[in-house]
Amino acid sequence: MLFIVRWPVVLVLFALTLFCFLGAAAAAGALTGFSTGVAQVEEAQAAAVEAGAAQASWIEVGLLAGAGLFFMISAIRLIRRTQGFWTWLLGFALFGGRWALAQRGELAATVQGLNVSAFLQPQAVIADPASPEAQVALLGIILVVGLLIFILDAADRAHWDKQGA
């Protein structure tokens, strides 16, 4: 019965993987000045530069790519029912570390400056993905996914213990 929860969580993890890998690729492209010549890719790179990819460092690119890798491993482990929580936790630590590093020493000011009433208007938060409110909302979504992974892992552990494995 937990497959009803398992597969949406796996799909969200794959979406996070894609988000992380595309963000890392866009930031790496902005750092190196890579140009593909394809109009759609050029537009995506320009949007990424406007959203802050130009200020990214190679450490941030590595953290984001590492988060994507661990989210992908967690999704695969969930599919195989082999304890994906710890790999999710590593991915979340890398993703959160990248976000904290991107604040450039102003982490406390960013958290204190959050507009809590903005969360009552989701369209406004979604419209500006570079805003601190949108970034904190994404971290919250990733935390909820981690809670669901923890519950799924507990159910899988109970299943395997019952099987005597």
Side-chain angles (χ1 to χ4, degrees), residues 25-38 41-42 44-46 49 58:
L31 285 170
T32 60
F34 180 72
S35 177
T36 61
V38 179
V41 175
E42 296 291 331
Q45 284 180 336
V49 167
W58 283 108

Side-chain angles (χ1 to χ4, degrees), residues 84-105:
F85 177 75
W86 298 109
T87 53
W88 167 86
L89 190 62
L90 289 171
F92 179 73
L94 290 173
F95 191 85
R98 190 233 24 112
W99 179 74
L101 186 63
Q103 301 309 310
R104 309 270 185 251

Side-chain angles (χ1 to χ4, degrees), residues 13 18 26 37 39 46 57 67 73-74 80 95-97 99 129 134 138 152-153 160 162 165:
L13 282 172
L18 182 65
S57 66
I73 292 169
S74 180
R80 296 185 62 196
F95 191 85
W99 179 74
L138 181 60
L152 288 168
D153 280 354
W160 292 117
K162 199 179 339 177

Side-chain angles (χ1 to χ4, degrees), residues 44-155:
Q45 284 180 336
V49 167
E50 289 177 17
Q55 291 87 18
S57 66
W58 283 108
I59 294 173
E60 292 176 57
V61 171
L63 289 171
L64 200 54
L69 179 67
F70 280 110
F71 287 147
M72 183 176 65
I73 292 169
S74 180
I76 292 169
R77 290 181 68 97
L78 274 177
I79 292 171
R80 296 185 62 196
R81 298 179 69 170
T82 56
Q83 304 293 310
F85 177 75
W86 298 109
T87 53
W88 167 86
L89 190 62
L90 289 171
F92 179 73
L94 290 173
F95 191 85
R98 190 233 24 112
W99 179 74
L101 186 63
Q103 301 309 310
R104 309 270 185 251
E106 299 294 325
L107 182 61
T110 301
V111 173
Q112 290 173 348
L114 286 176
N115 182 8
V116 180
S117 63
F119 294 110
L120 298 175
Q121 302 160 345
Q123 292 82 10
V125 174
I126 293 171
D128 186 16
S131 71
E133 289 83 8
Q135 295 170 2
V136 169
L138 181 60
L139 287 170
I141 290 169
I142 296 172
L143 278 174
V144 169
V145 167
L147 178 64
L148 292 173
I149 292 170
F150 184 76
I151 292 168
L152 288 168
D153 280 354

